[in-house]
Amino acid sequence: MTSANDLAALAIDIAREAGDLARVRRGEGVAIAATKSALADIVTDADREVEALIRARLSNERPEDGFLGEETGAERGSSDITWVVDPIDGTVNYAYGIPAYAVSIAAVTGEPTPEEWHAVAGAVYNPPLGEMFHAAEGEGAWLGDARLAVNTDPMTAGALLATGFGYDPATHAGDLERVARVMPLARDLRRAGAASLDFAYVAAGRLDGYFERGLQPWDHAAGALLVTEAGGRVGGAGPDGRVSNALSVASAPEVFDRLLAAALGA
Ligand code: LIP
């Protein structure tokens, strides 16, 4: 049985190689390859090339494991491990040249769905800053060699929160209503454009909390583990209060219940 630390080490190594490729391609100029769920939901040639690199590395080093990637979909493995991958999270930032994007790689056990999986290792790598956030279950969350912890005093002046908006304009009114319900808890709001980095920043204490509707499994698989291993809480509108497409919430413990209730509209 491979240890969580070994899986995290592999995720780190592959995320770094993949992120370095993404950075090189960004410097060469980015081509939009297609749109997906909406006109604003773009995929670049680099997204596809980076996911192909990640998938090839995993297939070579962990051929028995399953795979779930944003660009190439799902493939069951014969082991109990599935790799959940967003090759370039923050694709629109990447296409515009905004240096806030990340390679997100997580290893989960059990059924490969957010409602049932158990995350055991993850890496979120931001190439422009060279910041490697990583975690192994029970081993804490880290930025490089520095141990991470969520903020312990997030509410004195109000919480510094982050959120995001979906690609479909028809969802924006509801998202703005959610922001209006949450703002009484906040000192201010950030919208960085890459969910995996929002989770990582909660784990690092750079944010007190994050909430968003519409996240895909690969957006939160690694980041949610970073937050829980840094002493934070994650949840949402899924079964048993789990993170889900309908709503994802991550925060310092002191903020969580109030943030979840406001975000849900409870
Ligand atoms: C993005 C998320 C972001 C969200 C965007 C999009 P992508 O993922 O990271 O938080 O607001 O709508 O889902 O599409 O760049 O992998």
Side-chain angles (χ1 to χ4, degrees):
M1 176 69 182
T2 308
S3 74
N5 274 330
D6 291 340
L7 295 172
L10 181 58
I12 291 165
D13 186 59
I14 296 175
R16 192 180 308 283
E17 181 181 1
D20 291 346
L21 172 61
R23 188 179 58 245
V24 167
R25 291 291 180 260
R26 177 56 263 185
E28 295 168 350
V30 170
I32 307 302
T35 59
K36 298 186 289 188
S37 65
L39 195 57
D41 185 3
I42 60 172
V43 57
T44 71
D45 290 330
D47 286 279
R48 291 173 171 171
E49 185 181 6
V50 170
E51 183 160 318
L53 180 155
I54 295 168
R55 195 156 190 172
R57 283 285 312 271
L58 289 170
S59 176
N60 178 56
E61 300 185 45
R62 301 279 309 180
E64 69 284 352
D65 293 353
F67 184 88
L68 172 59
E70 178 171 13
E71 308 311 338
T72 57
E75 181 174 350
R76 282 264 184 185
S78 57
S79 77
D80 187 40
I81 294 169
T82 300
W83 294 89
V84 185
V85 172
D86 192 335
I88 300 178
D89 183 36
T91 298
V92 173
N93 286 349
Y94 182 76
Y96 274 77
I98 298 170
Y101 61 90
V103 176
S104 180
I105 300 175
V108 303
T109 60
E111 278 304 302
T113 66
E115 294 77 17
E116 296 180 86
W117 72 36
H118 183 79
V120 294
V124 173
Y125 179 52
N126 178 2
L129 294 180
E131 290 192 321
M132 180 68 76
F133 300 89
H134 57 95
E137 185 185 22
E139 302 293 334
W142 304 80
L143 170 53
D145 296 329
R147 184 79 179 249
L148 299 179
V150 296
N151 255 353
T152 55
D153 182 21
M155 291 303 288
T156 304
L160 183 61
L161 301 176
T163 192
F165 302 93
Y167 290 120
D168 179 358
T171 65
H172 291 169
D175 291 341
L176 288 171
E177 288 171 9
R178 181 173 304 103
V179 167
R181 292 197 303 268
V182 169
M183 279 311 285
L185 296 174
R187 67 185 298 161
D188 203 345
L189 193 65
R190 300 286 184 268
R191 200 294 190 236
S196 58
L197 289 180
D198 289 323
F199 281 102
Y201 284 17
V202 171
R206 295 177 180 176
L207 290 170
D208 297 312
Y210 166 58
F211 63 100
E212 185 165 354
R213 180 208 55 78
L215 294 187
Q216 298 299 328
W218 40 80
D219 292 324
H220 59 71
L225 181 66
L226 291 172
V227 172
T228 55
E229 285 297 321
R233 291 181 63 188
V234 299
D240 302 324
R242 290 178 66 120
V243 169
S244 73
N245 180 266
L247 182 67
S248 302
V249 175
S251 75
E254 296 81 356
V255 180
F256 186 81
D257 290 337
R258 283 173 284 181
L259 178 55
L260 178 64
L264 283 171

